[in-house]
Amino acid sequence: MNVIIKPIVTEKMTRMTEKFNRVGFIVEKTANKIEIKKAVEKMYGVKVLRVNTINQPGKRKSRYTKAGLIEGRTSAVKKALVTLAKGDTIDFYSNI
């Protein structure tokens, strides 16, 4: 089972990484903190101190088009904020 889906790479997450040495990931909805910690340590070779999780529910969205009002819903996601040990870093931009 692949626990980590993708990293969160935004301006807000970049500031959090610089200030608190914390990185964010979108993870599988059924994953728990222990599984997330093991997956990050195995995939990136770093020491994880703490894992905080957030269940973000989907939002209702609507927009007006020529065909009329279109209503829908964004998908629900689970996020994990992973605090790394001092001196450890993860570089998401190395493959660019």
Side-chain angles (χ1 to χ4, degrees):
M1 181 173 125
N2 196 4
V3 176
I4 298 173
I5 296 172
K6 66 180 180 178
I8 301 171
V9 183
T10 60
E11 290 182 21
K12 187 175 182 179
M13 242 4 270
T14 304
R15 283 194 309 266
M16 198 178 274
T17 301
E18 292 169 357
K19 192 171 184 180
F20 302 113
N21 201 22
R22 191 175 293 162
V23 293
F25 296 98
I26 304 263
V27 296
E28 198 67 39
K29 290 179 188 169
T30 58
N32 60 31
K33 293 181 180 186
I34 297 167
E35 292 171 342
I36 295 167
K37 179 180 177 179
K38 288 179 183 178
V40 171
E41 287 178 344
K42 183 180 177 186
M43 186 177 286
Y44 295 104
V46 293
K47 174 132 175 66
V48 175
L49 295 180
R50 185 181 324 165
V51 178
N52 297 72
T53 57
I54 303 160
N55 281 313
Q56 180 179 347
K59 295 181 180 179
R60 296 179 63 72
K61 298 279 186 171
S62 62
R63 65 178 182 209
Y64 294 98
T65 63
K66 288 182 180 179
L69 182 67
I70 297 175
E71 292 183 352
R73 188 171 184 87
T74 60
S75 58
V77 294
K78 184 171 189 175
K79 297 179 183 179
L81 299 176
V82 178
T83 305
L84 303 176
K86 194 167 189 157
D88 285 343
T89 58
I90 297 175
D91 186 19
F92 297 122
Y93 303 107
S94 63
N95 294 338
I96 297 176

